[in-house]
């Protein structure tokens, strides 16, 4: 992999700002779905912690204690995958080499609304032209849902209102919940960047696949460059997207546990808890035969993507499921990590029968 692609690890404050918003809204969405009948009695809930870092937990609590319900709804609105408004922000950061949250906000103010719609639409990976409203709505309905098609068409009709709402939300979030922690986070991440670069230099291939929880060799072959942005707020998570010929990965700074051996008993106890749910067993069976992406699995199990993500993240955290980028689009594909699954079962047998 080292000879195929140029890869560097960086810390971008504008991307960190975007990720911080995603972190908060995702945590609120997951809290809602954790209390659904499908999950409330799940004995494996205790092993899933989307914010193991105490400082991130304290920051999330600070927002909860000070945010108004109206602004929280606005935050969730602009991060909705239907509109892809934060994807617009990520594209803008890459296109204009933006380094700072305030620079991002100023750039959005001058962004042409037609360009905003184009940025948003490209993530659907659909053939319909943006100029043909009837075909566009039909294609979105067929590929996704009538609700998503209707919502996207509303944004296309009223792009300036959506753009202004996005700018408004970013400005408020920055002032109230990001700026007060800015200097402390930046100073901390300066040190962490050194740590992660040292890890990367020891074995670049292993580093990329380990933090990404998968095999990125096929995706990397199709790109000229890869950039890994470390994030404080993402904690243990990972997202990726492509920009032109660049494969971009953003991942949480708390990744040491993926490079270290866990305690045997805690690990296989967590495995047994994770496999206590029939859906997760079926997910492993399905993904052991071929790669599946989010929407396929959600449709198969008749689950919302948020509820499905809960199940997938449990398996990902145990490293018995791989998370891999598509080589042709921006979908998240999942495959069973058969070797890791066998190792965990063997670990349990050795410990139990010793």
């Amino acid at each position: 992999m080292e000879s195929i692609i140029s890869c560097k690890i960086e810390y971008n404050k504008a991307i960190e700002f975007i990720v911080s918003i995603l972190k908060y809204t995702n945590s609120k969405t997951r809290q809602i779905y954790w209390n659904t009948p499908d999950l409330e009695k799940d004995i494996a809930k205790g092993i899933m912690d989307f914010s193991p870092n105490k400082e991130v937990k304290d920051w999330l609590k600070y927002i909860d204690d000070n945010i108004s319900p109206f602004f929280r709804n606005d935050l969730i609105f602009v991060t909705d995958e239907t509109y892809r408004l934060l994807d617009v922000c990520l594209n803008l950061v890459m296109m204009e080499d933006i380094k700072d949250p305030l620079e991002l906000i100023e750039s959005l103010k001058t962004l042409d609304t037609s360009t905003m719609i184009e940025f948003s639409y490209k993530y659907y990976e659909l053939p319909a032209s943006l100029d043909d409203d009837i075909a566009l709505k039909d294609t979105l309905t067929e590929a996704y849902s009538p609700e998503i098609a209707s919502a996207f068409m509303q944004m296309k009709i009223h792009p300036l209102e959506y753009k202004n709402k996005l700018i408004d939300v970013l400005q408020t979030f920055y002032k109230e919940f990001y700026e007060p922690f800015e200097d402390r986070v930046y100073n901390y991440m300066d040190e962490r960047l050194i740590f992660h670069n040292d890890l990367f230099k020891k074995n670049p291939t292993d580093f990329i696949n380990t933090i990404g929880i998968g095999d990125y060799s096929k995706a990397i072959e199709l790109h000229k460059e890869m950039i890994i942005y470390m994030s404080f707020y993402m904690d243990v998570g990972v997202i990726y997207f492509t920009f032109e010929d660049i494969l971009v990965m953003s991942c949480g700074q708390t990744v040491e546990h993926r490079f270290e051996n866990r305690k045997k008993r805690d690990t296989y106890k967590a495995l047994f808890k994770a496999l206590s749910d029939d859906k997760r067993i079926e997910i492993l069976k399905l993904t052991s035969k071929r790669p599946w992406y989010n929407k396929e699995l959600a449709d198969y199990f008749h689950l919302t993507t948020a509820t499905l993500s809960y199940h997938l993240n449990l398996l990902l955290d145990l490293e018995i499921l791989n998370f891999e980028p598509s080589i042709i689009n921006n979908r998240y594909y999942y495959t069973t990590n058969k070797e890791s699954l066998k190792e965990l079962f063997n670990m349990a047998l050795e410990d139990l029968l010793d």
Side-chain angles (χ1 to χ4, degrees):
M1 183 182 299
E2 296 90 328
S3 62
I4 296 173
I5 192 169
S6 169
C7 181
K8 54 187 176 182
I9 303 175
E10 296 184 356
Y11 183 66
N12 182 296
K13 295 173 183 178
I15 288 181
E16 179 76 283
F17 176 56
I18 297 168
V19 167
S20 71
I21 295 172
L22 278 171
K23 178 67 177 183
Y24 179 72
T25 54
N26 284 345
S27 71
K28 300 316 295 179
T29 304
R30 283 165 175 159
Q31 283 177 15
I32 293 169
Y33 285 97
W34 271 30
N35 296 321
T36 59
D38 183 54
L39 301 179
E40 62 182 2
K41 295 181 180 179
D42 191 341
I43 65 171
K45 285 175 69 173
I47 68 171
M48 177 56 70
D49 188 345
F50 294 106
S51 303
N53 185 297
K54 184 180 182 302
E55 289 193 14
V56 175
K57 285 181 180 177
D58 291 343
W59 173 76
L60 291 170
K61 185 177 184 305
Y62 173 83
I63 299 178
D64 277 338
D65 290 343
N66 293 279
I67 195 171
S68 78
F70 304 104
F71 183 60
R72 181 188 289 120
N73 287 339
D74 285 346
L75 268 176
I76 293 172
F77 176 81
V78 301
T79 58
D80 193 313
E81 288 189 8
T82 302
Y83 311 111
R84 304 282 187 176
L85 290 174
L86 289 191
D87 289 318
V88 171
C89 294
L90 289 170
N91 264 275
L92 204 53
V93 168
M94 298 299 296
M95 185 175 70
E96 299 186 2
D97 193 26
I98 295 171
K99 304 293 186 183
D100 179 84
L102 294 178
E103 185 185 349
L104 168 62
I105 293 169
E106 289 304 309
S107 183
L108 281 168
K109 292 177 181 178
T110 61
L111 179 67
D112 184 78
T113 54
S114 61
T115 303
M116 181 186 81
I117 297 299
E118 288 172 10
F119 281 169
S120 175
Y121 182 61
K122 83 170 193 174
Y123 282 92
Y124 286 106
E125 299 283 343
L126 297 175
S129 169
L130 275 168
D131 298 325
D132 187 342
D133 284 357
I134 295 175
L136 176 61
K137 188 171 183 179
D138 288 344
T139 304
L140 280 165
T141 299
E142 183 179 349
Y144 292 91
S145 72
E147 293 76 20
I148 286 178
S150 177
F152 185 84
M153 295 307 296
Q154 284 297 312
M155 184 173 73
K156 186 173 182 290
I157 295 168
H158 308 287
L160 187 58
E161 291 181 39
Y162 283 76
K163 175 184 159 181
N164 288 340
K165 173 60 70 175
L166 174 62
I167 292 169
D168 221 29
V169 166
L170 295 187
Q171 286 178 325
T172 302
F173 189 86
Y174 176 80
K175 190 67 179 174
E176 295 187 10
F177 304 116
Y178 189 85
E179 188 180 29
F181 301 88
E182 208 170 15
D183 290 342
R184 186 167 61 187
V185 169
Y186 292 164
N187 290 335
Y188 175 75
M189 287 306 296
D190 283 344
E191 297 177 3
R192 298 297 291 168
L193 193 60
I194 295 172
F195 170 80
H196 288 112
N197 268 296
D198 287 343
L199 269 181
F200 174 76
K201 289 173 185 175
K202 290 177 182 176
N203 191 328
T205 301
D206 181 61
F207 183 90
I208 293 169
N209 289 340
T210 301
I211 64 171
I213 322 176
D215 181 359
Y216 286 76
S217 56
K218 291 180 181 178
I220 283 172
E221 287 174 4
L222 297 181
H223 296 84
K224 292 182 179 179
E225 184 181 354
M226 181 174 187
I227 303 176
I228 300 174
Y229 291 112
M230 304 307 299
S231 166
F232 172 80
Y233 290 103
M234 191 176 290
D235 216 351
V236 295
V238 58
I239 61 172
Y240 81 93
F241 61 97
T242 57
F243 176 77
E244 297 177 350
D245 290 330
I246 304 173
L247 177 62
V248 183
M249 181 187 293
S250 182
C251 62
Q253 51 89 12
T254 314
V255 295
E256 288 89 340
H257 72 283
R258 292 182 188 155
F259 294 91
E260 299 169 356
N261 291 324
R262 305 180 183 184
K263 294 181 180 179
K264 289 184 178 181
R265 187 159 297 176
D266 287 345
T267 304
Y268 75 70
K269 281 169 64 178
L271 171 68
F272 294 154
K273 284 183 179 180
L275 298 183
S276 65
D277 186 279
D278 288 341
K279 291 186 185 69
R280 291 192 284 270
I281 293 175
E282 186 68 14
I283 287 170
L284 290 173
K285 285 184 176 181
L286 292 171
T287 57
S288 70
K289 295 178 175 62
R290 67 168 177 85
W292 285 63
Y293 66 93
N294 294 50
K295 187 174 184 297
E296 271 189 307
L297 287 168
D299 290 345
Y300 181 89
F301 290 105
H302 305 291
L303 296 173
T304 65
T305 53
T307 303
L308 175 68
S309 292
Y310 165 78
H311 293 294
L312 293 175
N313 279 313
L314 278 167
L315 301 175
L316 285 167
D317 196 52
L318 284 167
E319 298 172 19
I320 56 177
L321 194 67
N322 284 333
F323 168 91
E324 301 175 13
S326 165
I327 61 173
I328 57 173
N329 56 40
N330 286 293
R331 287 173 173 165
Y332 297 80
Y333 280 89
Y334 298 89
T335 56
T336 301
N337 187 333
K338 297 178 183 178
E339 292 305 311
S340 182
L341 188 58
K342 289 176 184 176
E343 286 177 11
L344 286 181
F345 275 115
N346 287 334
M347 182 189 299
L349 281 173
E350 289 176 7
D351 189 48
L352 291 169
L353 302 179
D354 187 9

